[in-house]
Amino acid sequence: MAALRTVLSRVVSRHTAAILAASSSCRLPVSSSVLLHRCRSTGAPDEDVTLEFFRPETSSVPSLMDIGTRRIFTEDHDIFRTSARRFWAEEVVPHHAKWEKEGQVSREVWLKAGEQGLLGVNTAEELGGIGADLLSAAIGWEEQSYSNCSGPGFALHSDIVMPYIAKYGSPGQQEKYLPDMTAGRKIGAIAMTEPGAGSDLQGVRTNAKKDGEDWILNGSKVFITNGWMADVIIVVAITNTQAKSAAHGISLFLVEEGMPGFKKGRKLEKIGMKAQDTAELFFDDVHLPASALLGQENKGFIYLMQELPQERLIIADMAIASSEFMFEETRNYVKERKAFGKTVSRLQTIQHKLAEMKTDICVGRAFLDQCLELHNQGRLDSNTASMAKFWASDLQNRVATQCLQMHGGWGYMWEYPIAKAFVDSRVQPIYGGSNEITKELIARHIVS
């Protein structure tokens, strides 16, 4: 230690050296985002000493939600995260209870998110987006989970709907929709699920038939996130009933609010995610111009398969972030709650549960960060994304159950954040392809 302190006094700022001298652990404060990793020295007074620094991982810091952690991020990401966290705290949290009663968020919060640069983050700037990397988009997903406010469907809008238009849309479609979607002036949704077709997309019955150069769309969709507020919706429809399989006859269409024959049903009342508008959609002889076709005819299933890994990654990352939030919320609660003359955190069974949960969450975070890094490099495969989705969402539900249990009866009260996190978590293993389906996909890869 003495030798290390001497070296530090030569190569590190006086302020940092003073901090280290005061700490036998040699750990820099979390706020600095830097930990000492290695210092090699022979002790020679004129020796050039190289210090290697790295960002701490979540297992090593006071809170799993600390800013300035995780090696996949940079200081620029930290600045963006700070801005995003402030937005959720100031613009969403104060209004969320009201939105839960109304079954939807306000239009204003979409516009404010656009003003803050929180929409279309990973969409190329030349197409009307912000032009940041995938890791910046992930910060948006995580900060929503850290706020415990599930209402705004920003992730689906920005990182599921917009990529379809950016990748497969015509220049005219991109120009028409993407800038307004980045600004929050237009809200996007995607309509895959039907009353008889959920995880099995080949069971789709909604169809579009040629009418000259145009199309006539008929059918219905259900459980559509952002469906009630959406201005533009990507609709999955059968366009070739004679194809050798349904997968070879699916196309995607851009349907706009107000088109004759397009009707939105009721806002669906759910057990969780109460502020997130979820709707039924009905298409009765909706006349679509040729320009409404997204990408190539009968290539829709291919596009869906190419984009599903990102959707599953979003679900997985938000699941781990929600687990991190629930852990911190519960840790704070048990350190204050008293039973049998002492705080609950003094009970060994609670301590062991917390230790188990933190370990599980940190293991999950390590895997998710690997997936995020791979996807940022364009290397995340569908099989790995499926693993992340089912494992993280299962973990989220285990953590939710354990954290609510540690809150006792108060955890069952809606006013407590853990109650909302508990019911919000339940849908995660269902949408984006049920966990049973994702396991089937993983198993095929194993045994093929």
Side-chain angles (χ1 to χ4, degrees):
M1 276 299 298
L4 179 57
R5 290 191 183 112
T6 300
V7 172
L8 284 171
S9 68
R10 300 203 307 267
V11 296
V12 186
S13 69
R14 292 180 182 177
H15 172 67
T16 305
I19 294 173
L20 282 176
S23 170
S24 60
S25 69
C26 284
R27 192 180 77 186
L28 296 179
V30 173
S31 60
S32 73
S33 309
V34 180
L35 292 180
L36 178 64
H37 177 51
R38 186 182 298 113
C39 175
R40 298 188 182 276
S41 171
T42 61
D46 58 347
E47 179 187 7
D48 290 331
V49 178
T50 300
L51 291 180
E52 297 179 15
F53 296 97
F54 65 93
R55 298 165 65 89
E57 299 301 326
T58 52
S59 59
S60 306
V61 295
S63 169
L64 297 177
M65 301 187 296
D66 273 347
I67 295 175
T69 63
R70 300 159 58 190
R71 64 177 176 79
I72 64 172
F73 293 116
T74 66
E75 290 185 0
D76 287 340
H77 290 123
D78 295 341
I79 295 170
F80 183 67
R81 186 181 293 276
T82 300
S83 175
R85 186 166 297 186
R86 184 182 302 114
F87 173 86
W88 286 96
E90 296 177 357
E91 303 294 347
V92 180
V93 172
H95 310 289
H96 205 261
K98 174 177 177 286
W99 294 337
E100 287 169 356
K101 295 176 182 177
E102 296 174 350
Q104 66 181 82
V105 304
S106 68
R107 280 273 174 178
E108 288 71 23
V109 78
W110 281 90
L111 294 172
K112 288 179 179 179
E115 291 171 3
Q116 291 290 316
L118 299 177
L119 302 176
V121 172
N122 191 220
T123 297
E125 189 174 5
E126 59 268 24
L127 298 180
I130 300 299
D133 63 0
L134 186 279
L135 298 178
S136 298
I139 287 171
W141 315 335
E142 293 168 8
E143 288 305 315
Q144 176 164 10
S145 292
Y146 291 161
S147 75
N148 200 35
C149 294
S150 57
F154 296 164
L156 179 133
H157 166 93
S158 295
D159 301 303
I160 296 178
V161 178
M162 290 182 70
Y164 280 96
I165 302 174
K167 293 179 182 179
Y168 312 116
S170 66
Q173 291 170 335
Q174 293 166 349
E175 183 179 357
K176 182 177 182 179
Y177 298 113
L178 293 180
D180 281 346
M181 294 177 79
T182 300
R185 291 188 293 267
K186 287 182 180 176
I187 299 172
I190 184 166
M192 301 186 204
T193 305
E194 298 183 2
S199 297
D200 180 15
L201 287 174
Q202 297 193 61
V204 167
R205 294 293 176 264
T206 296
N207 65 86
K209 296 181 179 179
K210 273 287 187 71
D211 180 31
E213 292 297 315
D214 300 337
W215 298 87
I216 303 297
L217 179 68
N218 283 281
S220 65
K221 301 290 181 178
V222 71
F223 309 144
I224 307 306
T225 300
N226 291 349
W228 184 258
M229 299 185 69
D231 301 291
V232 56
I233 302 168
I234 297 174
V235 178
V236 178
I238 295 291
T239 48
N240 182 3
T241 57
Q242 304 303 314
K244 59 183 179 180
S245 72
H248 291 83
I250 287 177
S251 300
L252 307 182
F253 293 91
L254 292 166
V255 178
E256 296 183 51
E257 165 75 348
M259 283 184 164
F262 171 38
K263 297 179 182 178
K264 297 177 179 180
R266 61 193 173 96
K267 284 183 284 186
L268 300 174
E269 190 173 353
K270 311 179 295 294
I271 65 170
M273 296 191 172
K274 293 181 178 293
Q276 187 179 99
D277 69 295
T278 308
E280 301 169 305
L281 305 177
F282 300 97
F283 311 97
D284 184 13
D285 287 338
V286 179
H287 185 274
L288 298 174
S291 60
L293 178 67
L294 181 61
Q296 297 181 42
E297 183 179 338
N298 298 325
K299 297 291 186 181
F301 190 80
I302 296 173
Y303 301 152
L304 293 169
M305 292 303 101
Q306 290 174 340
E307 299 307 311
L308 274 175
Q310 177 153 308
E311 179 177 352
R312 289 170 179 157
L313 180 66
I314 294 169
I315 294 170
D317 194 31
M318 295 186 77
I320 294 295
S322 176
S323 298
E324 291 165 338
F325 165 80
M326 290 186 285
F327 175 84
E328 295 299 341
E329 190 72 21
T330 302
R331 177 181 24 195
N332 293 335
Y333 179 82
V334 299
K335 288 170 70 175
E336 297 176 358
R337 177 69 172 169
K338 289 188 176 181
F340 308 106
K342 56 185 176 181
T343 59
V344 175
S345 63
R346 302 294 293 174
L347 300 173
Q348 187 181 66
T349 183
I350 296 296
Q351 293 176 355
H352 287 186
K353 277 293 182 185
L354 291 171
E356 292 168 359
M357 278 198 299
K358 182 173 183 181
T359 302
D360 285 344
I361 294 167
C362 288
V363 169
R365 172 51 68 199
F367 179 47
L368 253 297
D369 279 3
Q370 179 186 19
C371 291
L372 288 170
E373 192 169 40
L374 286 170
H375 197 45
N376 193 44
Q377 299 168 354
R379 297 168 51 214
L380 180 68
D381 61 88
S382 178
N383 188 59
T384 305
S386 295
M387 291 180 184
K389 191 269 178 182
F390 103 74
W391 197 90
S393 58
D394 275 0
L395 173 64
Q396 180 186 10
N397 277 266
R398 293 198 305 273
V399 169
T401 298
Q402 293 169 0
C403 287
L404 190 147
Q405 185 72 19
M406 281 190 268
H407 277 72
W410 293 112
Y412 202 63
M413 299 296 106
W414 190 249
E415 64 194 85
Y416 275 72
I418 193 64
K420 298 178 184 181
F422 177 84
V423 294
D424 285 352
S425 69
R426 190 58 192 87
V427 75
Q428 293 275 84
I430 298 173
Y431 58 20
S434 71
N435 283 6
E436 290 74 19
I437 294 296
T438 58
K439 290 175 186 178
E440 283 288 322
L441 298 174
I442 296 165
R444 289 177 195 170
H445 184 77
I446 294 170
V447 301
S448 62

